Amino acid sequence: MTGFAEAGSTFNFDNPFNKLNWGHLFTDRADQPQFNAGVIALQRLPDPKATKDFDFGFKIQAMVGSDARYTHFLGELDYAMRDRTQLDILQAFATLHLPWITDRGFDVKIGQFVTLEGAELVDSIFYTHSYIFNFGIPLKQTGVMISSDLSSWLFVHASVMSGDSASLGWPGDNNSAASFQAGLRIKAFDDRLTILGTTHIGPEDPKQLDPLGVGWPNIPYECACDPNRALSYSNDVTLTWKATDRLTLSTDINYVHDDGWNALSATGLSEGVLSRLADIYGFNAALIPRRPRGVNGYGVAQYASYKIDDVFQLNGRVEFWRDHNNYFVGAYPGYFDYMNIDHGFYAPSAIFQPEGRGTSYFAITAGLTITPEIPKGLPIAGLTLRPELRYDASLTGAAPFFGASGYRRSTGMLAIDAIVPFALK
């Protein structure tokens, strides 16, 4: 049984009036300490070297902390704690290795598990996350995954699931359609180059209606789509090049799309113009057919890390990400805002930029990874400190960031966290 505890804080130089860091999820609270996560895992995984034998395993990983607000499976503990600190089941799956079909056999994983998409899903070198990680990739899935090492340089996987962070049935699945994910990993040049490509495709919009007339969002009307048929796409390619024994370079390229939303009425008039005409002439604008034009987001993040010695590692990240329709990036001050949006419930305190205009984000981060030697005999297995400086800006004239007296086109912060791993025997 293993685990870790993580806590940290961000110090926003602009002293946001609402104590929120725009463009962040897991580090969204400004100038306040956060207990991000206490994670514990019980596991017995198949021996990766025993490719010619049957083998089985399992993993159960649970978490308590503020990060859980954004990692819940729908319908599982998502409203269990009315606090910033919440409970979550990160993973719970069984896995079986079958020595069939290929020389190395293949693995079948059944249950709930994290996806294999993005550069920061495992062992991120920064406390704050990229826009790609926060808004451009799925995090978890419930379903069946088949994977295989076809050779020493090629790994492939494919899975069928209920959806991004969805479980099964109502309220665990926000629609009635399945999703699909597939990808591959290629290693070359004596494993110095790794290319990971993943695609996630399937309906992800909630099918929530307002049967009681209490003001819940009517998602099929708002997205101008059938939530069981409008496809969402998340595509990500990550290239990692170990240039030297000390220097590692990584590039993360991302594109995300949803077929719904960004609606246009059959008249060709925008939503705002049509609403004003309806108010003037007294007709119901909702009766006029609408069609979705879709929403898009895309970007790239470049990473560099240089290992100075066994204690210090210097890290850098530069990112451009375009929220083309101001659909993906948001802020969630309420404890349940993020999950309410996923379910399709009413979330009046959630904050988004004006719809349809689009914002281009630029972010640059510099930091250290510090791993001091821990004396033997202590109950902890190590210590990692990650101080960083980060600067974010809008490149399109928009002012999405929160300041002391209003909104700003840029923001800066100092952030630091501590991670303490442990093992229970």
Side-chain angles (χ1 to χ4, degrees):
M1 184 177 292
T2 60
F4 68 88
E6 178 191 6
S9 186
T10 65
F11 305 92
N12 193 307
F13 301 143
D14 299 308
N15 189 26
F17 65 90
N18 55 7
K19 299 299 182 182
L20 291 176
N21 297 316
W22 177 260
H24 294 239
L25 293 182
F26 303 93
T27 50
D28 59 349
R29 276 0 189 218
D31 308 322
Q32 322 174 36
Q34 291 197 138
F35 175 61
N36 292 93
V39 177
I40 192 165
L42 178 65
Q43 63 182 7
R44 189 273 183 195
L45 299 178
D47 183 355
K49 297 180 181 179
T51 58
K52 302 297 183 181
D53 301 320
F54 288 97
D55 204 353
F56 69 93
F58 68 91
K59 184 172 185 177
I60 301 173
Q61 189 177 37
M63 176 176 71
V64 60
S66 61
D67 284 2
R69 293 169 297 149
Y70 300 111
T71 64
H72 287 297
F73 284 104
L74 293 172
E76 293 184 8
L77 303 175
D78 42 359
Y79 298 102
M81 295 180 66
R82 297 182 177 275
D83 193 85
R84 190 179 0 159
T85 299
Q86 298 181 19
L87 292 169
D88 184 36
I89 302 299
L90 288 175
Q91 300 188 88
F93 63 82
T95 183
L96 182 67
H97 178 75
L98 302 174
W100 302 337
I101 301 178
T102 71
D103 289 341
R104 299 168 183 259
F106 63 95
D107 295 323
V108 179
K109 184 184 293 185
I110 303 174
Q112 298 182 316
F113 38 88
V114 298
T115 66
L116 301 178
E117 193 165 347
E120 297 187 11
L121 195 61
V122 180
D123 297 329
S124 175
I125 57 178
F126 293 103
Y127 178 38
T128 66
H129 283 293
S130 66
Y131 288 90
I132 292 175
F133 180 86
N134 283 331
F135 306 108
I137 63 171
L139 293 182
K140 304 195 300 184
Q141 61 193 53
T142 300
V144 179
M145 175 186 289
I146 298 176
S147 61
S148 178
D149 285 293
L150 298 182
S151 68
S152 60
W153 58 271
L154 178 60
F155 168 83
V156 297
H157 68 91
S159 57
V160 177
M161 70 203 78
S162 55
D164 178 18
S165 297
S167 52
L168 298 175
W170 191 89
D173 192 356
N174 58 3
N175 59 45
S176 303
S179 297
F180 172 78
Q181 188 177 91
L184 55 81
R185 183 184 65 222
I186 298 173
K187 292 187 175 182
F189 304 108
D190 297 324
D191 293 346
R192 287 189 173 274
L193 175 65
T194 301
I195 303 173
L196 176 64
T198 311
T199 185
H200 177 107
I201 304 172
E204 299 293 348
D205 295 314
K207 62 180 180 181
Q208 183 62 51
L209 301 172
D210 186 14
L212 302 179
V214 296
W216 285 1
N218 186 330
I219 300 300
Y221 173 78
E222 292 187 12
C223 76
C225 68
D226 179 351
N228 288 321
R229 303 185 67 179
L231 296 179
S232 294
Y233 306 83
S234 175
N235 302 291
D236 197 88
V237 176
T238 303
L239 301 93
T240 302
W241 171 250
K242 193 167 182 57
T244 69
D245 290 340
R246 295 179 180 269
L247 177 63
T248 301
L249 304 173
S250 297
T251 304
D252 193 11
I253 304 169
N254 177 253
Y255 172 73
V256 61
H257 169 83
D258 192 295
D259 284 343
W261 309 93
N262 192 22
L264 185 70
S265 90
T267 65
L269 299 175
S270 70
E271 201 72 7
V273 171
L274 192 61
S275 296
R276 287 193 293 272
L277 290 175
D279 291 339
I280 295 171
Y281 296 104
F283 63 88
N284 187 355
L287 298 178
I288 298 178
R290 305 156 80 241
R291 62 177 179 83
R293 291 175 290 178
V295 290
N296 299 283
Y298 50 88
V300 59
Q302 179 63 49
Y303 303 79
S305 62
Y306 183 82
K307 185 176 181 180
I308 300 172
D309 53 33
D310 290 339
V311 177
F312 295 99
Q313 178 176 289
L314 183 64
N315 305 311
R317 175 181 63 204
V318 179
E319 182 181 18
F320 167 85
W321 207 76
R322 170 73 176 173
D323 188 357
H324 194 63
N325 308 95
N326 280 344
Y327 172 81
F328 296 98
V329 181
Y332 306 92
Y335 297 146
F336 304 119
D337 281 350
Y338 189 81
M339 298 311 301
N340 285 341
I341 293 290
D342 263 6
H343 278 288
F345 297 157
Y346 192 44
S349 57
I351 304 170
F352 295 93
Q353 290 299 296
E355 183 179 350
R357 297 183 182 179
T359 303
S360 295
Y361 296 95
F362 170 80
I364 183 168
T365 311
L368 287 171
T369 301
I370 305 171
T371 53
E373 184 176 354
I374 301 300
K376 295 181 179 180
L378 295 180
I380 61 175
L383 172 65
T384 300
L385 302 173
R386 296 185 297 182
E388 66 181 68
L389 285 169
R390 173 167 173 158
Y391 172 79
D392 291 64
S394 164
L395 303 180
T396 50
F401 303 101
F402 306 120
S405 58
Y407 294 87
R408 298 174 52 86
R409 293 181 59 184
S410 63
T411 191
M413 70 178 60
L414 168 68
I416 184 171
D417 75 332
I419 302 174
V420 180
F422 58 85
L424 303 176
K425 297 181 180 180

